[in-house]
Amino acid sequence: MDEQVANALAMIERADADPLVVAAACETAIGFIHARQLEAMCQVSQEDPPVFDPTGQLCDPAPAEIASALHWTPSVAGRRLELAMDLCASLPIVLDALRRGEVDLGKAQEIADGTARLAPEHRCDVADRACTFAAGHTRGQLRAWLAREVARIDADAVRRRRREALTHRRVWIAPEPDGMATLGAYLSAEEAQACYLALTAGITTQDGSVDVARADRLVALLTGTETGTPIPVQVIITSDGPELSGYGALSDQHASDLCDGAPRINLQRPDSGTQYRPKPSLIRWVRARDRHCRFPGCRRPAAQCDLDHVVPHPIGATSESNLACLCRYHHRLKTHTNWRVRAIGGHRLEWTSPRGRIYLTGLDDP
C-alpha cells in the first residue's frame, strides 16, 4: 500500500482531525479501493473470457457475473469492466494514479475516454500529463484540457471520434419517482441545439413555466395529441398493484386516472403448443406476466425482450411455464456461455453463473 494511502486511512480514523482533511483523505482511500476493484474485475474477465456465438458476435459473460454479484445493471457493470480492461492493459499509469488517490474514478474515466483514439505512444504521454493536471482541477476542466491536447497532437483523432460518436446517437427513457420519467437523446451538438430551439420558438407563457410549455410542445409533436388529452398507454393490474407497461409501479390514483373509461382486457391463460414459435395469445400472456427481462437485476421491458424456452425446444414445451422474457444480451448469454437457468416452480428461475453463484428471480421482482 502506498504511503499516501496509509496516511489517509490513518487520518480517517482520527476523531480530532479537521473534517475537510478527513473528506480529502476519504477520496484518497476511495481511489485506492476503486483501483483494486478494477483489477479484480479484470481478473474475473480473464477467468470467464468472452465467446463467439454461431453468428460471429462476441458474447461476454463477465459483465453479467459482475452485475449480479454487485447488484448493478448490466450497462453499469459493462461500462466499469471496459474501463478496468483499458486501464489494466493500456493505461497502467492512470491505474497507479487512481491507486494513490491522485485522481478519482470519474477523472480516470475521462482520461481513458479522452485519449482513446490516440496512437499508443501519444496516448501514454497525454495520460501521464493528464493525471498531473487532474490532481488540481475539476472533471469538467480535465475534459476540456484533454480535448485541446488531443486536437493539438492528432487532429484526425478528433475527426475519427466525431464520426464514431455520430453512429452512437440514441434516444432513451429512464423512470423517475412520482410517476415521472426522463426522455433523453444523444445527438450531434447542432441537432440537439436545433431541436431545443424548435421547442422554444414562439413560446409565450402568462402563467406557468417555459420549461413546462416546452415539455408540452415536445409531447404534442411526437405523439400528435393535444396538451391535456389522454395518452394511449397499457396499464397492467397485478396482485401487487398497477404498473405502466415498460415503466413500472404506479400509484392507485395515477393508474385510475390513466384507466378512466378505458377498456379492460382480462388475459386468459393460453393453451400450450407443440410448435417452436409461441402463438400471439401466448406471447401477450408471458409478456404481461413477466413485465421485464427475467435475468437477475435486468429491467428491460418485456416488449423489448425475446421469449426464451427455459428448457430448449423441442425437449421443452412451448408453454407459459417454460417461456420467459429475456433481453437479447441475456438470451445470448444463456444460450452461448456457461450461465445456466432452470425453473423451480412458482414461476421462479434459478440462475447459476459460470463461477457457481446462484441467483433467484421471480414475478414479484420490481
Side-chain angles (χ1 to χ4, degrees), residues 5-349:
V5 176
N7 291 338
L9 292 173
M11 180 62 66
I12 291 169
E13 293 295 322
R14 287 182 52 184
D16 61 340
D18 183 325
L20 278 178
V21 175
V22 172
C26 287
E27 277 298 296
T28 298
I30 290 169
F32 174 81
I33 296 298
H34 273 146
R36 184 69 188 96
Q37 183 186 60
L38 294 179
E39 290 174 325
M41 288 181 175
C42 279
Q43 186 175 349
V44 170
S45 182
Q46 290 163 359
E47 294 174 356
D48 300 322
V51 298
F52 287 96
D53 69 15
T55 68
Q57 286 187 293
L58 199 64
C59 191
D60 190 355
E65 185 85 68
I66 293 168
S68 299
L70 276 61
H71 304 290
W72 289 352
T73 64
S75 60
V76 169
R79 179 74 167 152
R80 186 67 62 86
L81 181 59
E82 285 180 7
L83 177 62
M85 300 294 288
D86 193 18
L87 296 191
C88 289
S90 303
L91 294 175
I93 193 167
V94 179
L95 186 64
D96 287 340
L98 179 63
R99 184 182 292 108
R100 293 190 298 269
E102 295 169 1
V103 301
D104 60 25
L105 187 68
K107 292 177 181 178
Q109 184 78 65
E110 290 291 345
I111 295 171
D113 291 346
T115 61
R117 297 296 175 270
L118 290 174
E121 62 274 14
H122 293 312
R123 190 183 192 201
C124 291
D125 173 64
V126 173
D128 187 11
R129 291 187 289 114
C131 289
T132 302
F133 181 87
H137 296 83
T138 68
R139 185 172 177 176
Q141 290 173 321
L142 173 62
R143 186 183 306 122
W145 183 90
L146 284 165
R148 288 196 299 269
E149 287 298 302
V150 171
R152 181 179 62 82
I153 293 170
D154 186 357
D156 192 50
V158 177
R159 289 190 289 271
R160 291 196 302 271
R161 286 193 61 173
R162 173 165 168 74
R163 284 197 299 269
E164 181 172 345
L166 287 171
T167 68
H168 292 159
R169 291 179 301 165
R170 64 191 182 99
V171 176
W172 69 91
I173 186 170
E176 302 286 357
D178 306 317
M180 305 295 286
T182 293
L183 179 68
Y186 178 65
L187 307 170
S188 70
E190 63 273 20
E191 289 171 335
Q193 186 74 0
C195 290
Y196 191 79
L197 291 176
L199 293 174
T200 306
I203 287 180
T204 57
T205 56
Q206 301 300 323
D207 52 0
S209 165
V210 172
D211 289 333
V212 173
R214 196 180 288 119
D216 288 340
R217 176 171 289 182
L218 174 66
V219 174
L221 288 172
L222 294 183
T223 66
T225 61
E226 296 182 8
T227 301
T229 59
I231 301 293
V233 294
Q234 181 186 70
V235 176
I236 301 173
I237 308 299
T238 75
S239 58
D240 294 324
E243 293 194 2
L244 177 62
S245 180
Y247 169 81
L250 297 174
S251 68
D252 291 338
Q253 183 59 54
H254 191 174
S256 177
D257 293 341
L258 292 176
C259 295
D260 185 26
R264 179 177 295 228
I265 302 173
N266 293 317
L267 292 179
Q268 302 296 321
R269 188 186 302 272
D271 296 330
S272 302
T274 57
Q275 73 285 355
Y276 172 77
R277 187 169 184 80
K279 296 178 180 178
S281 59
L282 184 54
I283 293 175
R284 288 194 298 271
W285 171 273
V286 174
R287 285 184 170 157
R289 180 199 70 192
D290 288 359
R291 310 188 320 281
H292 52 67
C293 175
R294 296 292 306 281
F295 188 86
C298 186
R299 300 193 74 248
R300 176 79 64 177
Q304 301 172 25
C305 292
D306 301 332
L307 259 62
D308 174 65
H309 291 76
V310 178
V311 178
H313 187 272
I315 298 174
T318 303
S319 64
E320 58 94 16
S321 61
N322 191 48
L323 289 173
C325 291
L326 293 180
C327 69
R328 183 58 55 87
Y329 168 63
H330 290 127
H331 190 174
R332 294 174 60 239
L333 203 72
K334 167 185 174 287
T335 304
H336 303 297
T337 75
N338 289 329
W339 275 92
R340 296 292 178 260
V341 62
R342 69 185 185 99
I344 57 174
H347 295 295
R348 292 182 302 161
L349 298 180

